[in-house]
Amino acid sequence: MIRVGIADDHPVVRSGLRALLSSCDDMSVVGEASDGRETRALALDVRPHVLIMDLMMPGYSALDLMTTLRERASGVAVMVYTGYPAEHYGPALLRDGARAYLGKDCDPSEVLAAIRALHAGRRYITSDMAGVLAQRSSIQTSEAAPHHALTPREFQIFLKLAQGDSPAHIADALCVSAKTISTHKARIMAKMDLHSNSELTYYATKRRLLR
């Protein structure tokens, strides 16, 4: 029996996944979480074989959790299940220890296939993710879009700033200080050669990075 944990801050998503998994004789939902702290506890205390984890949740995001899970719950295979396109976060999260990165628009059968692959000790690479990885390997850094130069954390903060969130609000959401967010913002502006929040928002909108 594959023990599966579900971590998502939207009840309808958790309910849908639970219903999907309940139709499978070889899978069992052993716990759910609705924010980053609950997700951390689910992984460390319950130890599911596979953890289906949303990318952005209150408290700790998947970006924040991957180091802890890699170091303290290496037996838990992480599947990131998100509405963000693969090219934004996928390569970094796979590099940091996630075993799969699936979009929430994927077919339910692909979720089940990924769970079984992860339980068997394999990665699961979707066709979208394979295309992103191939593209990343074929382009030079100088040819990449400016936001590709951002670290995963910087990109996370960049999106929040582009959506109009204040540094104080972002700091509360990510459980860090406002000064830390301001430092990240300065680095983001420098890397992308942008000079105002309106330029950040224009860039993100033009590139269709906002959801």
Side-chain angles (χ1 to χ4, degrees):
M1 185 68 69
I2 306 174
R3 293 161 43 86
V4 182
I6 300 172
D8 197 292
D9 59 328
H10 294 96
V12 67
V13 175
R14 297 198 305 274
S15 177
L17 287 171
R18 186 168 61 249
L20 175 65
L21 271 57
S22 69
S23 68
C24 302
D25 294 336
D26 60 339
M27 297 181 192
S28 174
V29 176
V30 295
E32 297 183 24
S34 61
D35 61 33
R37 289 182 176 83
E38 291 180 2
T39 302
R40 187 176 185 274
L42 173 60
L44 298 182
D45 299 338
V46 180
R47 302 280 173 149
H49 294 131
V50 176
L51 175 61
I52 303 174
M53 181 168 59
D54 191 14
L55 176 61
M56 298 298 181
M57 293 179 288
Y60 303 115
S61 71
L63 299 167
D64 304 314
L65 289 168
M66 283 312 307
T67 298
T68 297
L69 300 186
R70 185 175 67 247
E71 294 176 351
R72 299 183 56 189
S74 58
V76 177
V78 175
M79 175 200 303
V80 177
Y81 185 62
T82 178
Y84 286 92
E87 63 266 23
H88 296 168
Y89 287 101
L93 283 163
L94 292 177
R95 184 177 63 246
D96 287 347
R99 306 295 293 174
Y101 188 100
L102 272 70
K104 288 181 177 177
D105 58 351
C106 73
D107 191 274
S109 63
E110 193 156 36
V111 174
L112 300 179
I115 291 171
R116 293 185 175 109
L118 268 59
H119 184 245
R122 303 190 302 272
R123 280 188 172 191
Y124 187 88
I125 304 297
T126 65
S127 57
D128 286 348
M129 192 70 252
V132 170
L133 295 174
Q135 183 182 40
R136 286 291 179 92
S137 66
S138 66
I139 62 176
Q140 300 297 319
T141 302
S142 60
E143 299 173 334
H147 68 274
H148 289 164
L150 303 179
T151 67
R153 173 61 105 186
E154 288 169 347
F155 186 74
Q156 179 186 22
I157 294 169
F158 159 71
L159 288 180
K160 290 181 178 295
L161 290 168
Q163 290 168 164
D165 289 355
S166 68
H169 184 269
I170 299 170
D172 287 342
L174 300 183
C175 301
V176 298
S177 70
K179 183 178 179 180
T180 296
I181 298 301
S182 295
T183 299
H184 279 299
K185 179 180 177 180
R187 291 173 180 165
I188 291 165
M189 294 289 200
K191 285 184 177 182
M192 299 182 66
D193 193 25
L194 299 175
H195 307 94
S196 67
N197 285 355
S198 60
E199 288 187 3
L200 281 175
T201 300
Y202 176 76
Y203 178 97
T205 302
K206 185 177 179 181
R207 296 273 181 168
R208 299 183 179 179
L209 300 176
L210 297 179
R211 300 190 64 78

PDB file of all heavy atoms in Angstrom, residues 55-56 84 88-89 150 153-165 170 188 200-201 204 208-211:
ATOM      1  N   LEU A  55       2.797  24.267  -4.352  1.00  0.00           N
ATOM      2  CA  LEU A  55       4.005  25.093  -4.384  1.00  0.00           C
ATOM      3  C   LEU A  55       3.938  26.249  -3.397  1.00  0.00           C
ATOM      4  O   LEU A  55       4.864  26.476  -2.620  1.00  0.00           O
ATOM      5  CB  LEU A  55       4.219  25.631  -5.802  1.00  0.00           C
ATOM      6  CG  LEU A  55       5.385  26.586  -6.008  1.00  0.00           C
ATOM      7  CD1 LEU A  55       6.705  25.921  -5.659  1.00  0.00           C
ATOM      8  CD2 LEU A  55       5.418  27.069  -7.453  1.00  0.00           C
ATOM      9  N   MET A  56       2.837  26.980  -3.401  1.00  0.00           N
ATOM     10  CA  MET A  56       2.699  28.160  -2.551  1.00  0.00           C
ATOM     11  C   MET A  56       1.621  27.936  -1.509  1.00  0.00           C
ATOM     12  O   MET A  56       0.438  27.770  -1.848  1.00  0.00           O
ATOM     13  CB  MET A  56       2.353  29.393  -3.397  1.00  0.00           C
ATOM     14  CG  MET A  56       3.409  29.762  -4.408  1.00  0.00           C
ATOM     15  SD  MET A  56       4.981  30.196  -3.614  1.00  0.00           S
ATOM     16  CE  MET A  56       5.953  30.608  -5.062  1.00  0.00           C
ATOM     17  N   TYR A  84       1.464  26.775 -11.162  1.00  0.00           N
ATOM     18  CA  TYR A  84       2.540  27.527 -11.813  1.00  0.00           C
ATOM     19  C   TYR A  84       3.192  26.684 -12.904  1.00  0.00           C
ATOM     20  O   TYR A  84       3.506  25.509 -12.683  1.00  0.00           O
ATOM     21  CB  TYR A  84       3.600  27.941 -10.793  1.00  0.00           C
ATOM     22  CG  TYR A  84       3.165  29.072  -9.887  1.00  0.00           C
ATOM     23  CD1 TYR A  84       2.560  28.808  -8.672  1.00  0.00           C
ATOM     24  CD2 TYR A  84       3.352  30.393 -10.264  1.00  0.00           C
ATOM     25  CE1 TYR A  84       2.145  29.844  -7.838  1.00  0.00           C
ATOM     26  CE2 TYR A  84       2.948  31.437  -9.445  1.00  0.00           C
ATOM     27  CZ  TYR A  84       2.342  31.151  -8.227  1.00  0.00           C
ATOM     28  OH  TYR A  84       1.931  32.175  -7.416  1.00  0.00           O
ATOM     29  N   HIS A  88       8.850  27.969 -14.543  1.00  0.00           N
ATOM     30  CA  HIS A  88       9.095  28.951 -13.497  1.00  0.00           C
ATOM     31  C   HIS A  88       9.860  28.370 -12.306  1.00  0.00           C
ATOM     32  O   HIS A  88      10.794  28.982 -11.799  1.00  0.00           O
ATOM     33  CB  HIS A  88       7.767  29.550 -13.015  1.00  0.00           C
ATOM     34  CG  HIS A  88       7.057  30.321 -14.075  1.00  0.00           C
ATOM     35  ND1 HIS A  88       5.757  30.746 -13.956  1.00  0.00           N
ATOM     36  CD2 HIS A  88       7.467  30.735 -15.297  1.00  0.00           C
ATOM     37  CE1 HIS A  88       5.395  31.395 -15.052  1.00  0.00           C
ATOM     38  NE2 HIS A  88       6.415  31.391 -15.883  1.00  0.00           N
ATOM     39  N   TYR A  89       9.434  27.209 -11.833  1.00  0.00           N
ATOM     40  CA  TYR A  89      10.017  26.652 -10.627  1.00  0.00           C
ATOM     41  C   TYR A  89      10.525  25.210 -10.792  1.00  0.00           C
ATOM     42  O   TYR A  89      11.305  24.733  -9.979  1.00  0.00           O
ATOM     43  CB  TYR A  89       8.979  26.637  -9.501  1.00  0.00           C
ATOM     44  CG  TYR A  89       8.651  27.976  -8.913  1.00  0.00           C
ATOM     45  CD1 TYR A  89       7.486  28.652  -9.278  1.00  0.00           C
ATOM     46  CD2 TYR A  89       9.488  28.570  -7.984  1.00  0.00           C
ATOM     47  CE1 TYR A  89       7.165  29.875  -8.725  1.00  0.00           C
ATOM     48  CE2 TYR A  89       9.180  29.795  -7.423  1.00  0.00           C
ATOM     49  CZ  TYR A  89       8.015  30.445  -7.790  1.00  0.00           C
ATOM     50  OH  TYR A  89       7.700  31.666  -7.245  1.00  0.00           O
ATOM     51  N   LEU A 150      17.166  34.816 -11.660  1.00  0.00           N
ATOM     52  CA  LEU A 150      16.764  34.870 -10.262  1.00  0.00           C
ATOM     53  C   LEU A 150      16.837  33.492  -9.619  1.00  0.00           C
ATOM     54  O   LEU A 150      16.577  32.471 -10.258  1.00  0.00           O
ATOM     55  CB  LEU A 150      15.332  35.404 -10.142  1.00  0.00           C
ATOM     56  CG  LEU A 150      15.045  36.784 -10.741  1.00  0.00           C
ATOM     57  CD1 LEU A 150      13.572  37.123 -10.552  1.00  0.00           C
ATOM     58  CD2 LEU A 150      15.935  37.850 -10.126  1.00  0.00           C
ATOM     59  N   ARG A 153      13.960  31.595  -4.627  1.00  0.00           N
ATOM     60  CA  ARG A 153      13.423  32.490  -3.606  1.00  0.00           C
ATOM     61  C   ARG A 153      13.203  33.894  -4.182  1.00  0.00           C
ATOM     62  O   ARG A 153      12.167  34.514  -3.938  1.00  0.00           O
ATOM     63  CB  ARG A 153      14.370  32.549  -2.417  1.00  0.00           C
ATOM     64  CG  ARG A 153      13.991  33.585  -1.381  1.00  0.00           C
ATOM     65  CD  ARG A 153      12.624  33.291  -0.786  1.00  0.00           C
ATOM     66  NE  ARG A 153      12.736  32.750   0.535  1.00  0.00           N
ATOM     67  CZ  ARG A 153      11.721  32.295   1.259  1.00  0.00           C
ATOM     68  NH1 ARG A 153      10.512  32.312   0.756  1.00  0.00           N
ATOM     69  NH2 ARG A 153      11.891  31.806   2.469  1.00  0.00           N
ATOM     70  N   GLU A 154      14.169  34.375  -4.957  1.00  0.00           N
ATOM     71  CA  GLU A 154      14.019  35.693  -5.564  1.00  0.00           C
ATOM     72  C   GLU A 154      12.843  35.721  -6.527  1.00  0.00           C
ATOM     73  O   GLU A 154      12.092  36.706  -6.572  1.00  0.00           O
ATOM     74  CB  GLU A 154      15.306  36.086  -6.292  1.00  0.00           C
ATOM     75  CG  GLU A 154      16.458  36.444  -5.355  1.00  0.00           C
ATOM     76  CD  GLU A 154      17.785  36.583  -6.073  1.00  0.00           C
ATOM     77  OE1 GLU A 154      17.875  36.174  -7.252  1.00  0.00           O
ATOM     78  OE2 GLU A 154      18.733  37.072  -5.440  1.00  0.00           O
ATOM     79  N   PHE A 155      12.661  34.644  -7.276  1.00  0.00           N
ATOM     80  CA  PHE A 155      11.544  34.609  -8.217  1.00  0.00           C
ATOM     81  C   PHE A 155      10.211  34.604  -7.466  1.00  0.00           C
ATOM     82  O   PHE A 155       9.244  35.261  -7.875  1.00  0.00           O
ATOM     83  CB  PHE A 155      11.641  33.371  -9.112  1.00  0.00           C
ATOM     84  CG  PHE A 155      10.601  33.342 -10.203  1.00  0.00           C
ATOM     85  CD1 PHE A 155      10.700  34.172 -11.307  1.00  0.00           C
ATOM     86  CD2 PHE A 155       9.520  32.502 -10.112  1.00  0.00           C
ATOM     87  CE1 PHE A 155       9.738  34.158 -12.300  1.00  0.00           C
ATOM     88  CE2 PHE A 155       8.542  32.478 -11.099  1.00  0.00           C
ATOM     89  CZ  PHE A 155       8.661  33.309 -12.201  1.00  0.00           C
ATOM     90  N   GLN A 156      10.163  33.885  -6.361  1.00  0.00           N
ATOM     91  CA  GLN A 156       8.960  33.866  -5.530  1.00  0.00           C
ATOM     92  C   GLN A 156       8.611  35.274  -5.053  1.00  0.00           C
ATOM     93  O   GLN A 156       7.456  35.713  -5.143  1.00  0.00           O
ATOM     94  CB  GLN A 156       9.190  32.946  -4.331  1.00  0.00           C
ATOM     95  CG  GLN A 156       8.028  32.859  -3.363  1.00  0.00           C
ATOM     96  CD  GLN A 156       8.370  32.049  -2.137  1.00  0.00           C
ATOM     97  OE1 GLN A 156       9.545  31.890  -1.793  1.00  0.00           O
ATOM     98  NE2 GLN A 156       7.367  31.519  -1.462  1.00  0.00           N
ATOM     99  N   ILE A 157       9.599  35.996  -4.568  1.00  0.00           N
ATOM    100  CA  ILE A 157       9.383  37.356  -4.071  1.00  0.00           C
ATOM    101  C   ILE A 157       9.065  38.307  -5.229  1.00  0.00           C
ATOM    102  O   ILE A 157       8.212  39.190  -5.113  1.00  0.00           O
ATOM    103  CB  ILE A 157      10.613  37.836  -3.280  1.00  0.00           C
ATOM    104  CG1 ILE A 157      10.751  36.996  -2.001  1.00  0.00           C
ATOM    105  CG2 ILE A 157      10.518  39.315  -2.939  1.00  0.00           C
ATOM    106  CD1 ILE A 157      12.058  37.182  -1.266  1.00  0.00           C
ATOM    107  N   PHE A 158       9.737  38.121  -6.364  1.00  0.00           N
ATOM    108  CA  PHE A 158       9.460  38.915  -7.555  1.00  0.00           C
ATOM    109  C   PHE A 158       7.984  38.836  -7.945  1.00  0.00           C
ATOM    110  O   PHE A 158       7.339  39.858  -8.228  1.00  0.00           O
ATOM    111  CB  PHE A 158      10.352  38.431  -8.703  1.00  0.00           C
ATOM    112  CG  PHE A 158       9.854  38.782 -10.072  1.00  0.00           C
ATOM    113  CD1 PHE A 158       9.873  40.091 -10.529  1.00  0.00           C
ATOM    114  CD2 PHE A 158       9.360  37.797 -10.915  1.00  0.00           C
ATOM    115  CE1 PHE A 158       9.402  40.415 -11.798  1.00  0.00           C
ATOM    116  CE2 PHE A 158       8.896  38.102 -12.177  1.00  0.00           C
ATOM    117  CZ  PHE A 158       8.910  39.422 -12.620  1.00  0.00           C
ATOM    118  N   LEU A 159       7.421  37.631  -7.956  1.00  0.00           N
ATOM    119  CA  LEU A 159       6.016  37.468  -8.325  1.00  0.00           C
ATOM    120  C   LEU A 159       5.101  38.176  -7.335  1.00  0.00           C
ATOM    121  O   LEU A 159       4.113  38.803  -7.721  1.00  0.00           O
ATOM    122  CB  LEU A 159       5.654  35.986  -8.408  1.00  0.00           C
ATOM    123  CG  LEU A 159       6.215  35.203  -9.591  1.00  0.00           C
ATOM    124  CD1 LEU A 159       5.764  33.756  -9.516  1.00  0.00           C
ATOM    125  CD2 LEU A 159       5.794  35.814 -10.915  1.00  0.00           C
ATOM    126  N   LYS A 160       5.419  38.079  -6.056  1.00  0.00           N
ATOM    127  CA  LYS A 160       4.589  38.731  -5.043  1.00  0.00           C
ATOM    128  C   LYS A 160       4.659  40.251  -5.178  1.00  0.00           C
ATOM    129  O   LYS A 160       3.647  40.948  -5.053  1.00  0.00           O
ATOM    130  CB  LYS A 160       5.021  38.279  -3.645  1.00  0.00           C
ATOM    131  CG  LYS A 160       4.670  36.823  -3.331  1.00  0.00           C
ATOM    132  CD  LYS A 160       5.084  36.433  -1.931  1.00  0.00           C
ATOM    133  CE  LYS A 160       4.679  35.007  -1.613  1.00  0.00           C
ATOM    134  NZ  LYS A 160       3.214  34.828  -1.585  1.00  0.00           N
ATOM    135  N   LEU A 161       5.852  40.771  -5.424  1.00  0.00           N
ATOM    136  CA  LEU A 161       5.990  42.209  -5.636  1.00  0.00           C
ATOM    137  C   LEU A 161       5.217  42.648  -6.886  1.00  0.00           C
ATOM    138  O   LEU A 161       4.548  43.683  -6.885  1.00  0.00           O
ATOM    139  CB  LEU A 161       7.463  42.581  -5.776  1.00  0.00           C
ATOM    140  CG  LEU A 161       8.325  42.482  -4.510  1.00  0.00           C
ATOM    141  CD1 LEU A 161       9.806  42.602  -4.871  1.00  0.00           C
ATOM    142  CD2 LEU A 161       7.936  43.556  -3.499  1.00  0.00           C
ATOM    143  N   ALA A 162       5.325  41.853  -7.940  1.00  0.00           N
ATOM    144  CA  ALA A 162       4.641  42.194  -9.190  1.00  0.00           C
ATOM    145  C   ALA A 162       3.131  42.168  -9.032  1.00  0.00           C
ATOM    146  O   ALA A 162       2.410  42.875  -9.743  1.00  0.00           O
ATOM    147  CB  ALA A 162       5.074  41.235 -10.298  1.00  0.00           C
ATOM    148  N   GLN A 163       2.639  41.362  -8.089  1.00  0.00           N
ATOM    149  CA  GLN A 163       1.206  41.292  -7.823  1.00  0.00           C
ATOM    150  C   GLN A 163       0.733  42.434  -6.922  1.00  0.00           C
ATOM    151  O   GLN A 163      -0.462  42.568  -6.665  1.00  0.00           O
ATOM    152  CB  GLN A 163       0.861  39.949  -7.154  1.00  0.00           C
ATOM    153  CG  GLN A 163       0.994  38.777  -8.101  1.00  0.00           C
ATOM    154  CD  GLN A 163       0.931  37.440  -7.387  1.00  0.00           C
ATOM    155  OE1 GLN A 163       0.730  36.414  -8.026  1.00  0.00           O
ATOM    156  NE2 GLN A 163       1.111  37.414  -6.079  1.00  0.00           N
ATOM    157  N   GLY A 164       1.692  43.250  -6.436  1.00  0.00           N
ATOM    158  CA  GLY A 164       1.325  44.398  -5.624  1.00  0.00           C
ATOM    159  C   GLY A 164       1.454  44.201  -4.133  1.00  0.00           C
ATOM    160  O   GLY A 164       1.086  45.083  -3.349  1.00  0.00           O
ATOM    161  N   ASP A 165       1.987  43.052  -3.694  1.00  0.00           N
ATOM    162  CA  ASP A 165       2.178  42.817  -2.265  1.00  0.00           C
ATOM    163  C   ASP A 165       3.285  43.719  -1.728  1.00  0.00           C
ATOM    164  O   ASP A 165       4.309  43.938  -2.391  1.00  0.00           O
ATOM    165  CB  ASP A 165       2.547  41.358  -1.992  1.00  0.00           C
ATOM    166  CG  ASP A 165       1.380  40.415  -2.204  1.00  0.00           C
ATOM    167  OD1 ASP A 165       0.267  40.904  -2.477  1.00  0.00           O
ATOM    168  OD2 ASP A 165       1.574  39.194  -2.102  1.00  0.00           O
ATOM    169  N   ILE A 170       4.738  40.410   2.380  1.00  0.00           N
ATOM    170  CA  ILE A 170       5.527  39.260   1.918  1.00  0.00           C
ATOM    171  C   ILE A 170       6.326  38.671   3.059  1.00  0.00           C
ATOM    172  O   ILE A 170       6.418  37.448   3.206  1.00  0.00           O
ATOM    173  CB  ILE A 170       6.461  39.687   0.763  1.00  0.00           C
ATOM    174  CG1 ILE A 170       5.634  40.199  -0.431  1.00  0.00           C
ATOM    175  CG2 ILE A 170       7.342  38.527   0.322  1.00  0.00           C
ATOM    176  CD1 ILE A 170       6.468  40.859  -1.508  1.00  0.00           C
ATOM    177  N   ILE A 188      16.838  41.664  -6.877  1.00  0.00           N
ATOM    178  CA  ILE A 188      15.974  41.382  -8.023  1.00  0.00           C
ATOM    179  C   ILE A 188      16.020  42.537  -9.020  1.00  0.00           C
ATOM    180  O   ILE A 188      16.181  42.335 -10.230  1.00  0.00           O
ATOM    181  CB  ILE A 188      14.524  41.143  -7.542  1.00  0.00           C
ATOM    182  CG1 ILE A 188      14.432  39.832  -6.751  1.00  0.00           C
ATOM    183  CG2 ILE A 188      13.549  41.122  -8.720  1.00  0.00           C
ATOM    184  CD1 ILE A 188      13.151  39.692  -5.944  1.00  0.00           C
ATOM    185  N   LEU A 200       8.295  46.125 -12.542  1.00  0.00           N
ATOM    186  CA  LEU A 200       8.185  44.709 -12.187  1.00  0.00           C
ATOM    187  C   LEU A 200       6.860  44.139 -12.674  1.00  0.00           C
ATOM    188  O   LEU A 200       6.810  43.063 -13.283  1.00  0.00           O
ATOM    189  CB  LEU A 200       8.285  44.533 -10.664  1.00  0.00           C
ATOM    190  CG  LEU A 200       9.655  44.584 -10.003  1.00  0.00           C
ATOM    191  CD1 LEU A 200       9.498  44.506  -8.495  1.00  0.00           C
ATOM    192  CD2 LEU A 200      10.546  43.454 -10.495  1.00  0.00           C
ATOM    193  N   THR A 201       5.779  44.882 -12.403  1.00  0.00           N
ATOM    194  CA  THR A 201       4.453  44.408 -12.782  1.00  0.00           C
ATOM    195  C   THR A 201       4.312  44.343 -14.299  1.00  0.00           C
ATOM    196  O   THR A 201       3.759  43.373 -14.846  1.00  0.00           O
ATOM    197  CB  THR A 201       3.373  45.328 -12.196  1.00  0.00           C
ATOM    198  OG1 THR A 201       3.487  45.332 -10.771  1.00  0.00           O
ATOM    199  CG2 THR A 201       1.988  44.853 -12.588  1.00  0.00           C
ATOM    200  N   ALA A 204       6.244  41.264 -15.552  1.00  0.00           N
ATOM    201  CA  ALA A 204       5.564  40.000 -15.235  1.00  0.00           C
ATOM    202  C   ALA A 204       4.312  39.819 -16.080  1.00  0.00           C
ATOM    203  O   ALA A 204       4.000  38.710 -16.533  1.00  0.00           O
ATOM    204  CB  ALA A 204       5.212  39.963 -13.748  1.00  0.00           C
ATOM    205  N   ARG A 208       3.575  37.042 -19.054  1.00  0.00           N
ATOM    206  CA  ARG A 208       2.499  36.132 -18.619  1.00  0.00           C
ATOM    207  C   ARG A 208       2.940  35.271 -17.440  1.00  0.00           C
ATOM    208  O   ARG A 208       2.661  34.067 -17.373  1.00  0.00           O
ATOM    209  CB  ARG A 208       2.023  35.255 -19.791  1.00  0.00           C
ATOM    210  CG  ARG A 208       1.446  36.063 -20.941  1.00  0.00           C
ATOM    211  CD  ARG A 208       0.927  35.179 -22.057  1.00  0.00           C
ATOM    212  NE  ARG A 208       0.359  35.970 -23.141  1.00  0.00           N
ATOM    213  CZ  ARG A 208      -0.137  35.443 -24.248  1.00  0.00           C
ATOM    214  NH1 ARG A 208      -0.163  34.119 -24.417  1.00  0.00           N
ATOM    215  NH2 ARG A 208      -0.618  36.229 -25.195  1.00  0.00           N
ATOM    216  N   LEU A 209       3.601  35.907 -16.484  1.00  0.00           N
ATOM    217  CA  LEU A 209       4.082  35.194 -15.305  1.00  0.00           C
ATOM    218  C   LEU A 209       3.085  35.237 -14.156  1.00  0.00           C
ATOM    219  O   LEU A 209       3.192  34.449 -13.218  1.00  0.00           O
ATOM    220  CB  LEU A 209       5.418  35.806 -14.830  1.00  0.00           C
ATOM    221  CG  LEU A 209       6.568  35.768 -15.830  1.00  0.00           C
ATOM    222  CD1 LEU A 209       7.777  36.487 -15.271  1.00  0.00           C
ATOM    223  CD2 LEU A 209       6.925  34.328 -16.192  1.00  0.00           C
ATOM    224  N   LEU A 210       2.140  36.158 -14.220  1.00  0.00           N
ATOM    225  CA  LEU A 210       1.155  36.278 -13.154  1.00  0.00           C
ATOM    226  C   LEU A 210      -0.032  35.382 -13.444  1.00  0.00           C
ATOM    227  O   LEU A 210      -0.465  35.241 -14.584  1.00  0.00           O
ATOM    228  CB  LEU A 210       0.686  37.731 -13.029  1.00  0.00           C
ATOM    229  CG  LEU A 210       1.757  38.747 -12.636  1.00  0.00           C
ATOM    230  CD1 LEU A 210       1.160  40.137 -12.576  1.00  0.00           C
ATOM    231  CD2 LEU A 210       2.401  38.376 -11.306  1.00  0.00           C
ATOM    232  N   ARG A 211      -0.597  34.826 -12.349  1.00  0.00           N
ATOM    233  CA  ARG A 211      -1.740  33.925 -12.508  1.00  0.00           C
ATOM    234  C   ARG A 211      -2.945  34.539 -11.815  1.00  0.00           C
ATOM    235  O   ARG A 211      -2.826  35.236 -10.865  1.00  0.00           O
ATOM    236  CB  ARG A 211      -1.423  32.556 -11.908  1.00  0.00           C
ATOM    237  CG  ARG A 211      -0.217  31.888 -12.584  1.00  0.00           C
ATOM    238  CD  ARG A 211      -0.070  30.446 -12.156  1.00  0.00           C
ATOM    239  NE  ARG A 211      -1.194  29.647 -12.564  1.00  0.00           N
ATOM    240  CZ  ARG A 211      -1.403  29.182 -13.795  1.00  0.00           C
ATOM    241  NH1 ARG A 211      -0.540  29.449 -14.750  1.00  0.00           N
ATOM    242  NH2 ARG A 211      -2.467  28.472 -14.078  1.00  0.00           N
TER     243      ARG A 211
END
